[in-house]
Amino acid sequence: MKGNKSFKGSMLLAMTAMLVTLTACGGNSGGNGGGNGTDGANATSENNGAAVPDNGSGTGNDAAGNDAAGNGGAAANDGGGTDAPAKAPVTIKLEVNSTQKDFENTDVYNEIKKQTGVTMDLQTYDEEKFKVELASGDLPDVFQVPNKYLAQLIDGGNIIPLDDLVASNGPDISKPLFQKSLSYSKQFWSNGTGKLYVIPVQVGQAGWGFDQQTGFNVRWDYYKELGFPAVKSVDDMVNVLADMVAKHPKTADGKKVYGTAIWNDWGTWGLNSMGMIVGSGAVANNYTDVPNSGFWQTAEFLYKAKQKGILDPDAFTAKYNDIVTKASQGTLLNSAATWPFQAVNAELLKEGPDHGFVTLPLDWGFAWVGGSTVAGWSDRAWAISSKAKDPARAMDLINFLSSEQGSRLIASGIQGVHWDLVDGKPRMKPEIVQLAAAGGDAYKKTGIGMFANQQGLTDFTALGDGSVVNLFNTPEVFATKVNSLNKDYDDHYGATYPAEAYKKNADAGKVLTLDVVPQDVQAAMPAPPDDVKRIQTKLDDLITKGIPDIVLHAKDDADYKKKQDALIKKLNDAGADKYWTWYMQAFNDTKAKFE
């Protein structure tokens, strides 16, 4: 959002996700669209090597790399760029947030290589590996910078200033479209030097995609079977899932079915996830302000699920891919996002026209969607290593990925192959829309949407041809994407596409969105000093170990409250108040710079 926009009531703050985000995130130490690492103010957290939620743009990727809304991306105004590259081929090592190495075997990857002459040797960001790389100075040529390491990278001379390279090799980045983002980067992400060290990604306005990807995601046919019960609270969520499990206690092959679980390999994303659904966005100490804390909202949900006997025993150990596996096996009925259920949805549709997982459109709480940012997705900005073998060619690649042409390619595919001009207007090819709806390996081979964490412009950015970056996010495609599951859902809620059901509640003021979150302010906040970092590390350790212990071992509500109070005392003793005092001062000081 604009830095000078006034905040309603108390200040508001991005809650969680990532990214990725997710984002998708992810997930991530900064979620898709806002947040400073895994701080205690409902910010985002790392989702190492996994897909992330997006910033409402509908490009969150699942673990297989498939776009969560069937989205894609391709060339913009020049016909998709079919000319051979003028420069000699070169291989550049890239460390990227969330995107997996299997992107290298796709059509979009090959088109990027064709357009730039650059072969991208991809590796997915992993926090522990990155720490080793940073300590040794052996960093990849190009990488996406986690915000919390930016000052260290600059002080250590590990990354180079990009001002001259943008002037010589960044014609698209130099356009007015990116000027506010570059100025922002120089002001807030230069460690006080005023130089350009990182190039933001996913800059611009976000919006509602085809479906709402983060939320209370459940089996639609099971929900119908229950008579569409109202979901007005966390208790209602748990009761709906418990009733589903009661009616469907085992899979067809005899496996036990559970109601819910979280994944635990995206830092604190899973433990914060209910804040993306039932939260308010209010500034709050995420460690100790129980009513407004994503941690404690998630803990309450999981505790109540445990008391009902529907919490997966792997709830606190499962990784993202484990959740995908459980979804495909039919042993899990809920997660905080649609991504793990994408693959199984294609299979469930073969069993019945209304079979599959959907996000119920709550008429309360928070929806992780919308907003606008010049900072882009936090923890994904591009940097070039001081040891890069060919910085100029590295900037050529970043420029292409940031451009209108590159962003369209990433989000919509290749012109003439995946989309084309119809009556002078860009349109996705019907067969590609159908392929996206079907999912699976054939669609994954296109590579559409798999590099969303790396595209320069948001899906909803209007390009020079008058259409948005992501051509899947158009009324024409929405109309064709509706399958039997979507239609049944749409008919029930009086919508024309799934996300519209949630959007109506947001438009009516019943649901808060990222429009009330100061994303650029949060992303501009300085890294905490070392003493505060140590406190934060201790707090995260206490909360990530303490909540599972409470959820799994509390005998009843009274015992839960007793254990909760004991953990909060430990958090306060460890410096939660000191951390929060620093955080609010930093937030207010940063906010003042935008006014």
Side-chain angles (χ1 to χ4, degrees):
M1 79 175 14
K2 299 292 184 182
N4 61 358
K5 184 174 181 178
S6 61
F7 307 139
K8 298 180 180 179
S10 64
M11 292 175 299
L12 298 168
L13 193 63
M15 290 189 298
T16 169
M18 351 46 139
L19 187 6
V20 70
T21 145
L22 2 259
T23 134
C25 175
N28 323 322
S29 115
N32 303 345
N36 272 347
T38 57
D39 66 33
N42 296 335
T44 54
S45 51
E46 290 88 3
N47 61 325
N48 304 333
V52 300
D54 74 356
N55 191 16
S57 57
T59 55
N61 304 332
D62 65 18
N66 296 321
D67 177 78
N71 298 346
N77 301 323
D78 65 44
T82 56
D83 297 333
K87 299 180 180 180
V90 64
T91 297
I92 291 178
K93 190 173 185 179
L94 259 71
E95 186 167 279
V96 294
N97 192 307
S98 300
T99 302
Q100 304 293 312
K101 196 170 180 67
D102 56 3
F103 176 63
E104 292 181 1
N105 302 311
T106 67
D107 299 338
V108 169
Y109 173 90
N110 288 330
E111 186 66 17
I112 294 171
K113 179 179 176 181
K114 178 180 179 182
Q115 291 296 308
T116 64
V118 175
T119 297
M120 297 181 291
D121 180 7
L122 296 177
Q123 64 183 53
T124 304
Y125 174 82
D126 174 87
E127 174 115 37
E128 295 307 314
K129 182 179 179 181
F130 184 80
K131 288 178 181 178
V132 173
E133 292 172 339
L134 182 55
S136 66
D138 187 22
L139 291 159
D141 299 307
V142 178
F143 58 97
Q144 293 184 289
V145 177
N147 284 13
K148 64 184 178 182
Y149 293 113
L150 185 55
Q152 184 178 351
L153 287 161
I154 294 172
D155 283 343
N158 298 110
I159 57 178
I160 61 174
L162 305 178
D163 306 76
D164 293 341
L165 281 172
V166 168
S168 61
N169 293 74
D172 292 283
I173 297 173
S174 299
K175 291 179 178 179
L177 188 61
F178 285 96
Q179 287 313 298
K180 289 184 179 179
S181 296
L182 299 188
S183 296
Y184 178 101
S185 180
K186 291 177 183 180
Q187 181 178 0
F188 296 111
W189 291 346
S190 68
N191 204 26
T193 66
K195 297 179 180 179
L196 181 68
Y197 277 96
V198 292
I199 307 295
V201 304
Q202 284 280 356
V203 169
Q205 180 70 42
W208 295 82
F210 178 72
D211 57 358
Q212 176 57 15
Q213 296 164 16
T214 56
F216 185 50
N217 191 249
V218 300
R219 273 283 293 260
W220 177 247
D221 48 325
Y222 291 1
Y223 185 61
K224 283 179 62 178
E225 184 182 29
L226 297 178
F228 306 105
V231 180
K232 299 287 187 180
S233 65
V234 168
D235 285 324
D236 288 344
M237 291 178 174
V238 174
N239 289 335
V240 163
L241 293 174
D243 290 345
M244 289 181 180
V245 172
K247 286 183 173 293
H248 304 276
K250 291 187 177 181
T251 63
D253 58 354
K255 293 185 178 70
K256 184 171 174 55
V257 174
Y258 293 96
T260 193
I262 60 174
W263 54 90
N264 301 272
D265 52 337
W266 292 11
T268 57
W269 194 96
L271 283 175
N272 264 306
S273 57
M274 288 302 289
M276 300 174 65
I277 306 169
V278 306
S280 66
V283 169
N285 188 329
N286 206 23
Y287 299 108
T288 61
D289 185 351
V290 173
N292 295 302
S293 164
F295 286 139
W296 290 111
Q297 288 159 347
T298 307
E300 178 190 4
F301 173 69
L302 297 176
Y303 160 72
K304 290 179 175 179
K306 175 67 166 58
Q307 293 299 100
K308 289 279 188 178
I310 61 168
L311 183 65
D312 190 301
D314 301 327
F316 293 109
T317 58
K319 296 182 178 181
Y320 179 83
N321 286 339
D322 297 325
I323 300 297
V324 174
T325 298
K326 291 174 184 289
S328 67
Q329 292 174 341
T331 60
L332 193 65
L333 299 182
N334 162 261
S335 82
T338 61
W339 319 309
F341 294 95
Q342 290 177 322
V344 73
N345 260 9
E347 296 303 313
L348 288 172
L349 268 181
K350 299 174 184 177
E351 299 177 9
D354 60 354
H355 288 204
F357 287 84
V358 301
T359 299
L360 298 187
L362 305 182
D363 59 0
W364 56 285
F366 191 94
W368 189 264
V369 67
S372 177
T373 171
V374 300
W377 286 2
S378 189
D379 299 305
R380 290 163 176 76
W382 291 114
I384 297 178
S385 167
S386 57
K387 293 188 176 180
K389 293 180 286 295
D390 195 335
R393 294 306 302 280
M395 181 53 68
D396 288 341
L397 176 63
I398 293 172
N399 180 74
F400 179 79
L401 299 176
S402 302
S403 69
E404 291 193 8
Q405 177 184 348
S407 295
R408 174 72 66 72
L409 172 62
I410 292 167
S412 307
I414 304 167
Q415 183 177 1
V417 178
H418 305 120
W419 65 275
D420 221 331
L421 296 176
V422 178
D423 297 327
K425 296 182 179 180
R427 294 285 185 269
M428 292 304 303
K429 290 193 171 187
E431 60 269 28
I432 302 302
V433 175
Q434 293 173 6
L435 194 65
D441 290 341
Y443 183 66
K444 182 178 176 181
K445 179 65 172 61
T446 69
I448 294 173
M450 289 177 68
F451 219 47
N453 285 279
Q454 288 76 39
Q455 74 190 48
L457 301 170
T458 64
D459 283 357
F460 287 88
T461 298
L463 302 187
D465 56 21
S467 292
V468 294
V469 165
N470 191 325
L471 297 175
F472 279 93
N473 285 329
T474 59
E476 294 83 6
V477 172
F478 286 177
T480 63
K481 284 180 65 176
V482 175
N483 59 28
S484 58
L485 171 64
N486 304 143
K487 186 176 187 310
D488 200 56
Y489 176 99
D490 292 346
D491 288 347
H492 178 75
Y493 291 112
T496 56
Y497 59 95
E500 188 180 36
Y502 227 132
K503 183 176 184 297
K504 286 181 178 180
N505 291 334
D507 291 344
K510 299 176 181 178
V511 175
L512 293 171
T513 70
L514 284 166
D515 291 315
V516 301
V517 172
Q519 300 177 70
D520 290 339
V521 175
Q522 191 179 8
M525 286 175 59
D530 288 344
D531 61 329
V532 176
K533 283 181 182 177
R534 286 191 290 271
I535 291 172
Q536 184 182 356
T537 299
K538 179 63 174 176
L539 296 175
D540 282 346
D541 183 62
L542 286 170
I543 205 83
T544 54
K545 292 177 180 176
I547 284 181
D549 182 62
I550 292 171
V551 168
L552 296 175
H553 300 117
K555 301 188 212 71
D556 51 32
D557 292 357
D559 194 34
Y560 175 91
K561 182 65 166 60
K562 179 181 177 182
K563 292 179 184 298
Q564 181 184 61
D565 290 343
L567 178 55
I568 289 175
K569 183 179 185 305
K570 287 183 181 179
L571 291 164
N572 282 323
D573 291 344
D577 287 342
K578 182 178 179 180
Y579 168 79
W580 185 241
T581 298
W582 171 85
Y583 186 93
M584 285 307 301
Q585 185 65 53
F587 180 85
N588 288 330
D589 289 348
T590 304
K591 174 178 172 284
K593 296 176 182 179
F594 285 74
E595 296 175 337

